[in-house]
């Protein structure tokens, strides 16, 4: 049951809701949850949430593309996102800016497989680093 709570916490925290999955992860570890169970629960929740964010951005594109391309700033921002989008994903693990970046990745239609490989790996790595720091 603790794993489900951690999964839901990690999922919700990776959306645009303002709270930290890392805090819940540390509490789970400190309360005696097995490291592997905590890693699987938190990582799967977090990765599924960034996939949700990607598709939210992907579908927002259809609703916003007319306004986006009629604005010179919007057009430049879209082209910039395409040019540097994969590099900005390297910040997708970071608090506050990481979750909106996963929405933007969908909005600018970055390749989904590369998106999951980069952003998902960084999300898992973040939890692994926390486990290592607590040992």
């Amino acid at each position: 049951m603790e794993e489900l709570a951690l999964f839901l916490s990690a999922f919700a925290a990776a959306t645009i809701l303002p709270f930290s999955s890392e805090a819940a992860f540390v509490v789970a570890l400190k309360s005696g949850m097995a490291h592997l169970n905590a890693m699987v629960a938190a990582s799967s929740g977090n990765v599924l949430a960034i996939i949700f964010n990607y598709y939210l951005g992907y579908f927002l594109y259809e609703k916003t593309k007319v306004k986006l391309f009629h604005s010179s700033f919007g057009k430049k921002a879209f082209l910039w996102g395409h040019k540097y989008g994969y590099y900005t994903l390297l910040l997708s693990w970071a608090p506050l800016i990481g979750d909106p970046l996963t929405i933007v990745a969908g909005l600018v239609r970055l390749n989904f497989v590369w998106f999951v490989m980069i952003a998902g790996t960084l999300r898992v790595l973040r939890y692994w680093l926390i486990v290592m720091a607590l040992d």
Side-chain angles (χ1 to χ4, degrees):
M1 193 57 153
E2 298 88 16
E3 288 85 359
L4 178 59
L6 183 57
F7 171 86
L8 293 174
S9 171
F11 184 92
T15 62
I16 56 173
L17 297 175
F19 67 91
S20 169
S21 66
E22 294 86 356
F25 185 71
V26 169
V27 167
L29 291 173
K30 293 285 187 181
S31 69
M33 184 183 291
H35 291 170
L36 182 61
N37 291 358
M39 284 284 300
V40 169
S43 297
S44 59
N46 220 254
V47 170
L48 285 175
I50 65 168
I51 291 170
F52 174 81
N53 288 347
Y54 177 91
Y55 280 108
L56 179 65
Y58 190 90
F59 291 115
L60 280 175
Y61 171 78
E62 289 300 322
K63 302 269 189 218
T64 61
K65 70 179 177 185
V66 172
K67 287 184 181 179
L68 187 68
F69 288 111
H70 278 54
S71 156
S72 64
F73 177 76
K75 193 172 189 176
K76 285 179 188 176
F78 184 83
L79 294 173
W80 188 87
H82 260 291
K83 187 173 183 178
Y84 300 107
Y86 295 105
Y87 297 111
T88 60
L89 285 179
L90 296 175
L91 298 172
S92 67
W93 63 270
L96 301 176
I97 63 167
D99 301 327
L101 286 175
T102 62
I103 295 172
V104 172
L107 186 67
V108 298
R109 308 262 170 127
L110 295 180
N111 180 282
F112 179 74
V113 173
W114 281 107
F115 165 77
V116 172
M117 286 174 53
I118 296 168
T121 300
L122 291 171
R123 297 293 174 120
V124 174
L125 181 61
R126 176 183 60 191
Y127 290 124
W128 181 78
L129 289 172
I130 292 170
V131 168
M132 294 296 110
L134 293 176
D135 273 348

